[in-house]
Amino acid sequence: MPFAWLPPLHCLFESKGQKPLGKFGKFIAASGFQEKGTLPELPLTAVQGFYKHWKEADLPINRDQVLFFPGPGEDEVLVNMTRVQGFDGTKVEDLTEAEEIGRKQVLMVADFMTKRLPGFGKASISQVGAQIGIRETRRLDGVYSLQIDDVTSGRRFDDVIARSGYPIDIHDPKNKGVTAAWIAGDGALRHPLPLPAAEADSELACRRTVHLHYA
């Protein structure tokens, strides 16, 4: 992507002047989870809430709730709780500082869950993301900008090259909230062929090649 940023191609960088949002260790695997309630089965894809517990903990992590997912093991859950904001994913200094903050957040979350959440008293960290993850850096400026309605309506394009089933999931770059919008129909988003707005003699770009509209 750094090479695609050079002329004649054009890359978009920040949304409404906001710096990119970084997330460290999107999933923290916590082994030793003891309590799954009284249901004979656990037909859940995610558990979110514990608002009171999280608010009382008053940790320096800009989130508003607890969020975790059933893991591959019977006693394992995947925890999505860190949030590192306001760093530039194209600068090595920012990446280094963000990763340091993210690792501290991992330990804070683990301590919080074992001390305050039912069922996690004997839990421990079994795995953490290898490095900081950045949700937003540069992205190619495309001929067509994928709109919110395209996603939520499950629009079908004639030049589809890929399908995905994940909804719009926007983590506020400055505050605690998360905005989600689900895909209608069969729940699959069809991605059109991402053509750059400017022509180049030869160019190969990977990652973030879909041009999205940011509301």
Side-chain angles (χ1 to χ4, degrees):
M1 189 60 76
F3 292 103
W5 182 48
L6 301 174
L9 297 182
H10 178 244
C11 283
L12 305 175
F13 186 46
E14 297 181 3
S15 303
K16 292 187 176 180
Q18 296 172 338
K19 286 189 176 181
L21 163 67
K23 294 189 69 180
F24 179 86
K26 181 176 181 181
F27 294 117
I28 308 168
S31 297
F33 176 58
Q34 299 293 317
E35 183 175 314
K36 289 191 176 181
T38 58
L39 294 176
E41 297 180 358
L42 192 67
L44 303 175
T45 57
V47 175
Q48 62 184 70
F50 293 101
Y51 298 99
K52 179 176 180 291
H53 300 73
W54 182 250
K55 184 176 181 179
E56 289 177 348
D58 194 28
L59 296 178
I61 302 174
N62 216 10
R63 297 191 69 120
D64 61 353
Q65 61 182 278
V66 170
L67 176 62
F68 60 85
F69 305 80
E74 291 186 358
D75 67 340
E76 186 177 56
V77 294
L78 307 177
V79 183
N80 185 342
M81 291 288 294
T82 60
R83 181 174 289 185
V84 183
Q85 297 167 306
F87 290 92
D88 186 338
T90 66
K91 296 180 179 179
V92 65
E93 295 84 0
D94 277 26
L95 289 173
T96 299
E97 184 177 354
E99 183 152 339
E100 181 180 349
I101 293 173
R103 289 185 180 276
K104 290 179 179 179
Q105 289 187 2
V106 168
L107 298 178
M108 290 179 194
V109 170
D111 185 65
F112 156 76
M113 297 183 77
T114 55
K115 291 181 178 180
R116 293 176 177 264
L117 293 191
F120 285 92
K122 297 181 180 180
S124 61
I125 298 174
S126 61
Q127 184 177 349
V128 178
Q131 65 183 59
I132 189 76
I134 304 299
R135 292 181 68 100
E136 179 66 38
T137 55
R138 301 185 184 104
R139 60 190 185 279
L140 285 176
D141 186 9
V143 171
Y144 179 75
S145 175
L146 199 64
Q147 304 292 307
I148 292 176
D149 289 345
D150 293 336
V151 178
T152 56
S153 66
R155 179 180 173 183
R156 297 169 182 253
F157 295 88
D158 294 333
D159 56 348
V160 169
I161 61 165
R163 287 165 47 123
S164 64
Y166 204 77
I168 295 175
D169 172 29
I170 301 175
H171 290 245
D172 194 311
K174 294 183 178 180
N175 300 307
K176 298 181 178 182
V178 176
T179 301
W182 301 96
I183 304 170
D186 62 0
L189 167 64
R190 277 80 174 172
H191 293 276
L193 179 64
L195 296 174
E199 294 185 1
D201 292 335
S202 62
E203 187 71 31
L204 178 64
C206 63
R207 302 188 63 170
R208 297 187 178 90
T209 53
V210 176
H211 184 192
L212 305 174
H213 170 72
Y214 285 72

